[in-house]
Amino acid sequence: TQYILHRGPMLSARRQQTVETALRLLVLHLGAAFVVSDIGQHEVASYAAARSSGALRPEDYRSRERAQPGTIRNELQALSAACNWAVGFKVKGRPLLDRNPLRAVTLPIETNPKRPVVKPDRLQALRAVAADVDVTGQFGMMLEIAWVTGRRINAICHLRASDVLLTPDTLRRAFAEDGQDEEIAREWPAGLRWRAEWDKKGFLTFSPIPAALSASLMAFMRDRGVIGDGWLFAHECPGRECAVMKARADYLLRKAERAAGLPRMARGGWHAMRRGWATLRKSLPVSDVMLAGGWRDPAALRTAYQQADSRTVMDVVNVAG
């Protein structure tokens, strides 16, 4: 309760919701009277068993009946983050916890995680049916932004016209207004601003875009009369004041996959495009890939996004001894 009260407002809205759900499940399983510092391997194992069996699940109808190891690990890491915070947060001069009990336990891991990637041939098949799937052109534009920038679909859905920075001058002005180093954008002809409230970690970032995407975005906004803080992808609602939600984007992607005759990718979706973007850039400096794609942790980029590919693995074994 103290963590949500004091730390919650500093998290992005989506992250706060995720953390609240995870902590609510843990309280439901352990009991409100359970002493946090008594958590050990047994409690972690019993929680994992309850989540993986489906005996314990969120009230959200969209949640899976049986949680995967990765999901369970993320939920326990939310508790660990709260415990780390509690060690440094004092009430009447004393910390809420003297240590983080989860540091002494082993969290569940996903032994064979499914992390498929979208490759150029699959992208071309989706492009070919984009106009048929969505006559408004929104899906086709989302597809291009996702492939060129590697950003998460939720952030793409919540772009505003004012986040599309089509000249070097508007880029520099936006950097200055947000207290960012303008020098990093010196070679950028155009770019996009990714707002903190729609970022998974709550950071405001910018990324460059090439001339082709810049021209497509300009035509897209002109045809639809989108200006100022208007949503780039507006839903059909009174006043066009709501952004297209991620669920709508997911639906359009599945519809396009069926129309193109593509097999559904297990654990794929829009995130497979982000993995594909990162994998195509394995040979480039990690710091530059991180900035362009919005990563904060190089380990996450290398292990969860940049996947092995057939040609590079073959090159490895073909190296002469």
Side-chain angles (χ1 to χ4, degrees), residues 277-278 281-303 306:
W277 186 93
R281 291 159 176 80
K282 285 191 297 184
S283 61
L284 298 174
V286 171
S287 57
D288 298 292
V289 176
M290 287 174 60
L291 193 149
W295 279 276
R296 310 294 297 188
D297 180 7
L301 171 62
R302 291 193 184 101
T303 58
Q306 292 183 330

Side-chain angles (χ1 to χ4, degrees), residues 141 145 164 166 192 209 212-222 232-233:
M141 194 74 259
I145 295 174
V164 182
L166 297 175
L192 293 171
I209 56 174
L213 180 57
S214 179
S216 296
L217 280 166
M218 186 182 296
F220 181 86
M221 291 190 295
R222 184 179 60 245
L232 194 60
F233 303 110

Side-chain angles (χ1 to χ4, degrees), residues 242-312:
C242 4
V244 167
M245 302 306 290
K246 180 179 178 294
R248 168 76 177 164
D250 289 341
Y251 163 75
L252 290 173
L253 180 58
R254 290 194 299 271
K255 186 178 177 181
E257 289 172 340
R258 290 193 297 270
L262 296 170
R264 182 121 182 238
M265 303 171 83
R267 304 284 290 274
W270 288 94
H271 220 62
M273 208 164 296
R274 182 163 165 81
R275 296 188 204 102
W277 186 93
T279 300
L280 283 173
R281 291 159 176 80
K282 285 191 297 184
S283 61
L284 298 174
V286 171
S287 57
D288 298 292
V289 176
M290 287 174 60
L291 193 149
W295 279 276
R296 310 294 297 188
D297 180 7
L301 171 62
R302 291 193 184 101
T303 58
Y305 290 91
Q306 292 183 330
Q307 305 296 298
D309 64 272
S310 179
R311 176 173 295 180
T312 306

Side-chain angles (χ1 to χ4, degrees), residues 60-73:
D60 189 342
Y61 70 92
R62 295 169 297 181
S63 65
R64 290 173 177 265
E65 183 177 345
R66 299 172 184 269
Q68 299 298 309
T71 299
I72 298 169
R73 183 182 181 87

Side-chain angles (χ1 to χ4, degrees), residues 11-80:
L11 305 175
S12 66
R14 189 178 180 190
R15 179 61 181 165
Q16 185 173 353
Q17 183 180 11
T18 300
V19 168
E20 286 181 358
T21 300
L23 297 181
R24 193 180 305 119
L25 284 169
L26 285 154
V27 171
L28 184 62
H29 177 71
L30 296 172
F34 189 89
V35 179
V36 177
S37 57
D38 288 345
I39 291 176
Q41 195 66 56
H42 171 73
E43 285 73 26
V44 167
S46 65
Y47 177 80
R51 290 289 284 123
S52 61
S53 69
L56 179 67
R57 58 180 298 191
E59 296 176 356
D60 189 342
Y61 70 92
R62 295 169 297 181
S63 65
R64 290 173 177 265
E65 183 177 345
R66 299 172 184 269
Q68 299 298 309
T71 299
I72 298 169
R73 183 182 181 87
N74 290 340
E75 291 167 356
L76 290 166
Q77 284 178 332
L79 176 60
S80 182

